[in-house]
């Protein structure tokens, strides 16, 4: 496609009011705008896939956080991958495919320095938003660097059927974990974790107290807990933590929509006995691992040793519903919107 053949309309999602508690449809608007034109040093990308992720809920609030909130009345942002259809930048040609951060829209103008070229021949385009993208690097960095995973560790992962959690468990197995345990929100997901992803044990956290189910699944305790959920899961993990255990806090989806302060774990004193460590992390601090990650995990993806799932929703008009689905836990693996 050349610049003269561009369509006239670009559909994009705007945040129109800040959600209180669970986001509502009326907090958002699907807006028609002109297709933007690239300036010098920029490219125009037709987005093929866009990402919806739990962290986006935090950006919908005005509270001070590690990243600026979405602006009211402006298009939202998120990971996206697509084809360059117009270029005024050296080194990026029409027909190239790039990863960038201007999702929630059909077409995006991106500064060349903010676009990362990807190879659709090396792996499906959608994987650059999941298994080989930000979520994959999150799993890799959180487990191996933040949690200081070592061969022989017993690992517990919450939200284990999600995009990050499923990859954490598999990387731990591939790196020699003695036992990998996962929690998920349905019996179908539990079955997937054990039969497809190779977890040694898994449980449905809705079927009983998390602490009791974790002790049954990990009678010898856990050395590493990768936290995607917070709340009862974090307290249970502290209760089962072994000597010198490590907890990497990636997310706390159980509290993202809370309107009142949420009490913390009641058993933090146990960290004294276990000499345990809790550390939060952000993937943005670990992009120095990107090349190592793509090389190692890319090889596992190509060989089939690391399996991944995607829940694909069709159409920009369904972008919001896909995001709601992530908050509800509807997705298996990475939730992606195909445009």
């Amino acid at each position: 496609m050349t610049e003269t053949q561009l369509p006239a309309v670009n559909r994009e999602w705007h945040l129109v009011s800040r959600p209180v508690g669970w986001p509502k449809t009326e907090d958002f608007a699907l807006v028609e705008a002109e297709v933007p034109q690239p300036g010098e040093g920029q490219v125009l990308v037709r987005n093929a896939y866009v990402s919806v992720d739990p962290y986006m809920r935090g950006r919908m609030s005005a509270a001070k956080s590690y990243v600026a909130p979405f602006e009211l009345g402006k298009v939202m942002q998120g990971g996206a991958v697509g084809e360059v259809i117009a270029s005024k930048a050296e080194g990026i040609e029409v027909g190239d495919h790039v990863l960038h951060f201007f999702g929630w829209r059909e077409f995006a103008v991106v500064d060349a320095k903010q676009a990362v070229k990807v190879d659709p021949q090396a792996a499906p385009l959608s994987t650059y938003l999941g298994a080989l993208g930000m979520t994959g690097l999150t799993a890799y960095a959180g487990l191996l660097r933040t949690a200081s995973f070592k061969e022989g560790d017993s690992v517990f992962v919450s939200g284990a059927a999600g995009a990050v959690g499923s990859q954490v468990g598999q990387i731990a197995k591939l790196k020699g974990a003695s036992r990998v345990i996962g929690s998920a929100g349905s019996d179908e997901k539990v079955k997937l974790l054990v039969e497809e992803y190779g977890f040694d044990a898994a449980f449905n956290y809705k079927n009983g107290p998390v602490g009791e189910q974790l002790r049954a699944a990990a009678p010898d305790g856990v050395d590493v807990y990768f936290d995607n959920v917070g709340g009862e899961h974090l307290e249970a993990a502290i209760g089962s933590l072994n000597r010198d255990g490590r907890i990497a806090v990636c997310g706390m989806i159980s509290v993202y929509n809370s309107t009142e302060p949420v009490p913390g774990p009641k058993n933090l004193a146990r960290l004294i006995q276990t000499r345990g460590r809790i550390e939060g992390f952000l993937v943005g601090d670990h992009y120095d691992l990107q090349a190592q990650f793509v090389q190692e995990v890319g090889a596992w993806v190509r060989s089939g040793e690391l399996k991944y799932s995607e829940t694909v929703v069709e159409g920009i008009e369904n972008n919001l519903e896909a995001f709601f689905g992530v908050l509800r836990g509807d997705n298996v693996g990475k939730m992606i919107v195909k445009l």
Side-chain angles (χ1 to χ4, degrees), residues 129-281:
L129 294 176
L132 295 178
M134 185 177 72
T135 51
L137 181 59
T138 300
Y140 189 85
L143 177 69
L144 302 182
R145 179 176 278 173
T146 306
S148 304
F149 171 85
K150 61 184 184 298
E151 187 176 355
D153 279 344
S154 173
V155 178
F156 171 44
V157 188
S158 58
V164 173
S166 59
Q167 206 149 334
V168 170
Q170 291 183 82
I171 292 172
K173 290 294 289 184
L174 288 162
K175 289 281 192 180
S178 61
R179 188 167 177 80
V180 174
I181 303 102
S183 73
S186 74
D187 293 341
E188 292 77 16
K189 289 180 179 180
V190 166
K191 183 177 180 183
L192 179 77
L193 291 175
V194 176
E195 296 184 1
E196 180 73 10
Y197 294 146
F199 282 58
D200 296 289
F203 60 86
N204 182 346
Y205 68 85
K206 296 175 182 177
N207 288 347
V210 175
E212 291 180 11
Q213 294 195 78
L214 178 57
R215 284 191 294 274
D220 296 323
V222 296
D223 302 301
V224 168
Y225 170 48
F226 194 103
D227 190 16
N228 289 308
V229 175
E232 185 184 2
H233 278 80
L234 179 55
E235 186 167 302
I238 293 171
S240 284
L241 205 63
N242 289 332
R243 166 75 188 263
D244 298 316
R246 289 89 65 203
I247 295 174
V249 181
C250 175
M252 292 192 173
I253 197 169
S254 69
V255 303
Y256 286 167
N257 294 305
S258 299
T259 56
E260 299 293 333
V262 178
K266 298 188 293 290
N267 57 348
L268 282 174
R270 193 168 185 280
L271 295 174
I272 302 169
Q273 303 166 241
T274 61
R275 290 74 153 178
R277 170 167 62 87
I278 301 179
E279 183 176 344
F281 75 98

